[in-house]
Every structure is written in structure tokens, then in C-alpha cells.
Amino acid sequence: MRTRHFRTARREAAAVAVAAVLACTAVGCGDGGEGNGDERAPAASSSADRGKGEADREDPAPNEVPDASETLAVIKGTDDLVLTVHSARRDSGGFVTVNAEVKNDGNESFYGVSAWRGYEQEIVRSSGRSVGGAMLVDQKGKKRYYVLRDTEGRCLCTTGLTKVEAGKSLAVFMQFPAPPESTTEVDFQMPTFPSTPIKVSG
């Protein structure tokens, strides 16, 4: 997997996310009051988006740290890992982008990044080692929001992960369908880290 500039990846992902959210709305994502509250975002069917190939997909540099001027949560996980959530912002198009970093405070490199991709087979198959297993949970609205996917089934999130070196930080991002405007706090969940509440801005 190639790794490139973090902010460029967000811009590319944002363009595809708009179509993904529209497709999600068209087919009635979520439980509609009858299911278990899951908010899953299917791949968009737009022919223009379908033309985006692997060459257009850019992943963030593994050691570039996002803007740390704001901190929503600091979560201690397994193997001396610390996950710091810097922002969870609503963007135009109806989705939420979460920016965070994972720091390895241990003395040995962490190779268990494959756990972060979760267990959804389409994400595992199309995105490889990613943070596609992350989730937002709206406790009041009783809904779960999964990472968005593009037309190829790849997550709109950091991919191409291999390890977190000892003493190093890894920048990660992920995009979700936005909860209702009235929802200002959600629980952020990522495999190997405890669930924690975070504020949604914008």
C-alpha cells in the first residue's frame, strides 16, 4: 500500500463520501425504527465515482501527526498504545471526520494493527490493514455509525498500516455518516481501545 499526504487523503475521501452518503440516504440506511440501530453506509453507485481507481486513492503518511491544538479524548489501549482523538467535525455532505493519532509508549514496535480493521469482510478484503473497524455510537438515538466506504468497498479511512514503531506516533482518520444535528456527543470505539465519549463539532 502506498502512503502519501494526510490532508490530501481527506480531500479525496471527502469527495467520495458525499456520494456514499447520498446513496446511503437513497436506500434507507439505518434501522428506520425497526432494526438494531445500525447505520451502515453502502458503496455509492455513481458512474463518476466508480471511475476513481487505485491510482486516485492516497493514504496518509504513517508518522505525520494531525493538528494537536485540540484534544477530545486520550484513551489507553493494549500494548502501551495511547489513542488521542483530536477532532470530530461535521463536514459538508453530511458526514463526520475523526482525526486522531496512536502513540506507542512501549519499547517494542506494535504489529497488531490488523485488529483495527474490524471483522466486516468487505472492509477486510478491500481495505487491508486499516482503521475500518472504528465506530461511532449515538446512545440517545440508539444508532451505530460505521466507517464510510467508496464505490470499490474501501473504507474512507487510513489504510496501508503495518506497525507503530516504539516511541512513534501514527496519524489516523476515519469518516462516518453524520448523526442528527441535535446529537453533539457520541461514543467513539476502535478495536483494542476502550469506548469513550467525544464531542462532535460543526
Side-chain angles (χ1 to χ4, degrees):
M1 286 283 184
R2 295 185 299 277
T3 59
R4 300 178 187 167
H5 198 277
F6 178 70
R7 291 183 178 85
T8 303
R10 287 181 55 200
R11 288 196 297 269
E12 290 292 328
V16 181
V18 173
V21 171
L22 292 176
C24 178
T25 303
V27 299
C29 287
D31 62 347
E34 298 177 358
N36 60 5
D38 290 356
E39 186 78 14
R40 297 178 183 271
S45 58
S46 167
S47 58
D49 289 325
R50 194 172 296 278
K52 288 184 176 292
E54 185 66 29
D56 297 320
R57 184 177 177 81
E58 298 183 4
D59 297 317
N63 290 316
E64 182 180 348
V65 178
D67 180 10
S69 60
E70 183 181 8
T71 298
L72 300 183
V74 178
I75 315 164
K76 292 184 178 180
T78 59
D79 299 286
D80 296 311
L81 297 181
V82 178
L83 173 64
T84 302
V85 180
H86 291 297
S87 63
R89 293 192 177 94
R90 296 177 187 273
D91 294 308
S92 59
F95 56 92
V96 170
T97 301
V98 174
N99 287 311
E101 64 177 295
V102 181
K103 184 176 182 182
N104 183 353
D105 280 338
N107 297 319
E108 298 181 0
S109 294
F110 175 75
Y111 290 92
V113 294
S114 60
W116 300 342
R117 65 188 179 184
Y119 298 100
E120 188 172 350
Q121 289 303 306
E122 184 175 6
I123 293 289
V124 172
R125 182 176 60 256
S126 61
S127 302
R129 295 185 177 185
S130 69
V131 289
M135 184 191 309
L136 299 181
V137 179
D138 179 2
Q139 297 287 359
K140 290 184 178 180
K142 297 182 179 180
K143 282 195 174 184
R144 292 176 288 182
Y145 297 87
Y146 295 85
V147 174
L148 287 162
R149 302 189 298 269
D150 67 13
T151 56
E152 303 298 326
R154 297 169 297 192
C155 72
L156 299 188
C157 67
T158 301
T159 63
L161 304 177
T162 56
K163 62 181 177 180
V164 186
E165 296 181 3
K168 299 292 186 179
S169 293
L170 175 72
V172 295
F173 82 96
M174 55 223 77
Q175 294 181 320
F176 305 88
E181 292 286 345
S182 58
T183 299
T184 58
E185 184 175 286
V186 293
D187 288 343
F188 175 74
Q189 297 179 0
M190 184 165 140
T192 77
F193 293 94
S195 175
T196 189
I198 60 173
K199 295 287 186 180
V200 178
S201 60

